Amino acid sequence: MLTLTRTALRRSFALLVLLSLCVAPVALAQPQGPTATPMPPDPFVVTQTTALLPATVGDLAGAKAWDRYTIIAALSPGERRVRGTVTVTVTNRASRPYERLYFHLYPNHPDFGGRLDVTGARLDGQPVVSGTEQGDTLIWLALPRPLPPGGTVRAELSFVARTPRNGSADTFGAFNQEAGLWSLANFYPILARYFADTGWDRRPIDSQGDFVVSSTALYEVTIDAPTDWTLISTGARVSATAVTDSVRRERFVSGPQREFYLGATQGRAQVSTTVDGTRIVSHYQTNHATAGRKALRVAEQALRVFNARYGTYPLAELDVVESALTNFFGMEYPGVVLIEQTLYAANASDFEVTVAHEIAHQWWYSQVGNDAQGEAWLDEGFASYSQVLYYEGIAAPALATDELNFFREEFSASRRRGRDAPLATPPSGLDGMYVPVVYDKGALFFHSLRAQIGEAAFSRFLKGYYSEGRYRDVAGPDLLRAAETACACQLTQLYRDWVLTKAPVRIP
Ligand SMILES: [Zn+2]
């Protein structure tokens, strides 16, 4: 996310073609031996190739590490209602048996101003005992018998979601129907993360931080929608067929992703381009054509810079969507970024950094995942520092310095008021200093790291941290290890001062 505080200071491929491209890498993942019979390709996994670049379909060899979601839903924009079922094939990858499964029902958080009601739940086809916690933002399903490590169960939940209309002034604008966009972020139950030490993530949600904490999964999603609405989603469309004269059925696959974003637009315009094999689409209001084209240009530059600096964005598509967010500038979802409409209208200077920041989250959140409710600096600090790397990458060093100065000034001002904290502080412990600590101090940590280990090691760190962390859930010590590997040096003092304690760090 990019918050508003800055203002205070100033393709689809033809499936058959891809089947022939992808069978080899997927089949390679199957056990092979002198007596083994090669397993046929898994159709669920094979279909996922549509969402990925041809060069990255081999990533699906790791599909056994990810749970699978199948969502079937129908949109009723007039009633602002989504009705559907989600089936999640859950594998216990922990070292302890599961007694229950937990799913987040994010739209029941008061900030959403809407609802997500589960109307039925089954495990392996059988009705189950269930209950909710944390103000209905969590639902648990009791397993009839403990699910042992390595075991798999199929959870099926029927749901009805309802969003506000024109609610962005008072609620979370990404779950809202306004200005030609019906944005349906988090519209379905999302399996909670299971932490090795503390078990299921049952914490109350602190809405200073980003909501979603989830692990990489594969999604196959079928949506029935009125033909006069255009769908935007994570991943790629694999088919579109007419159900009736007024209803169209579209099927999407996500590739390995942490959540599935869905939006529907009416009366919007779009422009697109292709960068390093990824198709970028900018969706905008028809009276914002100049800014809509600029959003595409910035996204194109950002993708090119970050692909070179971090490693390739593995997906075939990326959408940039003008949105009524009102209380924040931008929000990231896998394969989709939402940008506040007033930035388009004013063509403001914050427009470019917001687009670059949200696109950087495709690496730092979507691909390399972290606990946004625990260590928000890992993705927000990195996405903020990416604003600096973006300007460096497009040969605009003065603007890169402006970004750094902005972080320096905002963090210094906060610290002068006594508002400083270790980067590792969870959002719930950062009242009144979430932005200066997580975004500004977080960005400055990366600059300090760069100064200490030098350009060559910092470049190795960026690539190594991404390739090691891709699709995984990382924590601070993983970042420390990646940096120490890159520099072949010890960084425990730097890490302790910035991340673990409130030492009076020198602002770089
Ligand atoms: Zn952000």
Side-chain angles (χ1 to χ4, degrees), residues 331-416:
M331 185 65 206
E332 70 280 10
Y333 294 98
V336 180
V337 301
L338 308 183
I339 308 294
E340 157 62 13
Q341 60 185 357
T342 52
L343 298 179
Y344 287 70
N347 198 8
S349 61
D350 284 327
F351 189 38
E352 186 164 0
V353 285
T354 301
V355 174
H357 176 105
E358 303 307 338
I359 287 179
H361 275 301
Q362 297 303 316
W363 282 260
W364 320 122
Y365 166 64
S366 288
Q367 306 297 322
V368 180
N370 59 283
D371 174 10
Q373 291 278 311
E375 295 180 292
W377 74 279
L378 284 173
D379 65 293
E380 291 300 355
F382 218 153
S384 297
Y385 194 60
S386 297
Q387 297 164 208
V388 177
L389 297 174
Y390 165 78
Y391 279 125
E392 289 177 359
I394 61 164
L399 294 173
T401 303
D402 285 352
E403 290 305 301
L404 272 174
N405 286 338
F406 174 85
F407 298 135
R408 287 166 178 146
E409 284 161 24
E410 198 171 62
F411 174 59
S412 300
S414 178
R415 192 161 66 174
R416 277 197 301 276

